[in-house]
Amino acid sequence: MQLEELKGIGKTTIKYLNELGIYDVLDLISYYPFRYEIIENTDLHTLKDGDKIVVGGIVENVPTVVHFNRKLNKMNFHLNTGEFIANVTIFNRAFLKTKINIGNAVTIIGKYDKKHSTITASDIKFGLIEKTLIEPIYHSSFKLNSSKISKIIKLAINKVKPLDYLPDHLISKYHFIDKSSAVKIVHTPQDKPSLKKALTRLKYEELFMYMMKISYLKKSKKQCDGISRNVSYNEIIKIVESLPFKLTDDQLKSVKNIYDDLVSSNRMNRLLQGDVGSGKTIVAFIALYINYLSGYQGALMAPTEILASQHFANFQKLFPNIKVILLTGKLKTKEKKEAKELIKNGKANIIIGTHALISEDVTYNNLGLVITDEQHRFGVAQRGNLKNKGLTPDILYMSATPIPRTYALTLYGDMDISSIRTMPNGRKPVKTYVKSNKEIKDVLYMMLDQIKMHHQIYVIAPLIEESDKIDLEDVYKLEEKMKRAFGKICNVGMMHGKMTNTEKEEIMNEFKQNKIQILISTTVIEVGVDVANATMIVIFDSYRFGLSALHQLRGRVGRNDIDSYCILISDKETKRLEILTKTNDGFKISEEDFKLRGGGDLFGLRQSGDMNFKLADIKQDYDMLLKAKEDSELFLKSPEFQSTKYKYIKEKVISSGHLD
Ligand code: ADP
Ligand code: MG
């Protein structure tokens, strides 16, 4: 069913939905909330200063409104809660003024300041709340906020029936509710137990289909022949010895693993994992070199234009005699045409670029090896795209998210793994401190020291992807604060997730060229970006991140032999964060992360971006994943998998080049 067929939504709204990746009604109803706001009245007797509060009461006076500028306004009124009179402040809701009359009952959601008996409200609801409300919160954009999305989804929810990808025997095995009901409940939850059931149902299906694909790939890999190459290892040793630095033991081991794969007649399907800065790129370059020596073309695919150009420049420097070209979406039409010609006629030996590399109209002459950098940004596999072209090159994935071995075996069950566990010599561990918001002054002084030394700083602002208005205000406020503190002595720039890619790249380039010294950003700073002069990263609200994510962010600094610092600002969960002050080993950290966050609370937790699941979280739902693994392997072997009844499941498993 098309979006146009829904009553009450127009062309503009459809455009905004498209921007969120929603193209038809099925997309719409599978646009699940990423978290829920649980709204229940606060117990006023246990209320402490600074607490979050949800309280109903009677409006005592006519609200007053102050306008600061066209965008910013503030409204105040008094609320009688029955226990005390609170002074309510709410920003940017002046339009509600006429609806808030003396004697009206309203419910305020906000933060309580005891001393001034003030509530700074983030939301206001008309009437009193009798029972717990569960509000779905959706990833939103500037143009469509979460509550608008919720309204649109409600229009659609009874209009289509989503396909059910669980075979009947599993539905009865786990006593799952049917898919349509589950989808309805996650969008319009009434109570926690039924929501939990619905979420479990949908998560399980995601995990099951994921494991079906992994198990299928594993099975089909065994039947797939690769290229056997004739290259002597001595040649490789020669090039390794000519490098400007000495490879670490793990780098060498990885090179050997890859060499063995490439000369053997089995097709390579290998994951190279190691911390940011552990030196995966040079290993990838050597893989490209081995492949080049044996007469094949090699492609290296990076998740962003910046990274692709960075790799391109580095490769040219190290291997000046090999014909390497850059292919990205940004090239002019004429340049692109030339590049494609060189790829087609085989004059280009190595091709480095972005997604453009596997786009339909690129024809390779004799592609032998494909490497994707930061594979989790691509989804787990793209071999489907290449297969469609009749190519079966060897494949190497690189990832900077170390995953403990047990998890890796499940998630990457179809791949071999090489790990780089040690950092190159001369790399100093990043000095890491946990600071509270009260200690912000110390932090500013630490930043000042770095600026005086002409170093650069990343400041990670609270996430704005989380919800819409309030957090974005926080980012702007932070920018203002930083400008006030440092604006006279250096340039402060800002980048956030709601900017376009071009805008982001512009800012990132300015930072790279040291035109900006302090870069405020949400987590959108590109994975793998190498700005050696950046020596400090300050992360606000750091409790909101998993340890591995923080460790990844920390990897933005410490990229040369100068002292580097990571400041984790948080008033909560400081014990967990302390782990980062004690170790720099990404594998250890991810182990801890899995331990700490496994099986956590269902509500209020963000999901990990690792696998691009809509609902499931490999950490929290790991037990479920193991079950899905077992179930998928059995189902794959069963005659049912081949039956016409489940033809659509089989087709989805086989067709999907992307595993995400
Ligand atoms: P990763 O891709 O794993 O995040 P990179 O490959 O970008 O890390 O390596 C980070 C930096 O370390 C690069 O500037 C690279 O040239 C350098 N490097 C890599 N291996 C070594 C080594 N063995 N000794 C010294 N420097 C190295
Ligand atoms: Mg890299």
Side-chain angles (χ1 to χ4, degrees), residues 276-277 279-281 307 310-311 373-374 398 400 527-529 559:
V276 169
K280 295 182 293 296
T281 313
L307 274 175
Q310 200 170 284
H311 288 331
D373 189 5
E374 309 297 355
M398 297 196 279
V527 186
V529 160
R559 301 210 134 215

Side-chain angles (χ1 to χ4, degrees), residues 79 232 498 660:
L79 183 79
S232 103
K498 307 243 153 130
D660 49 13

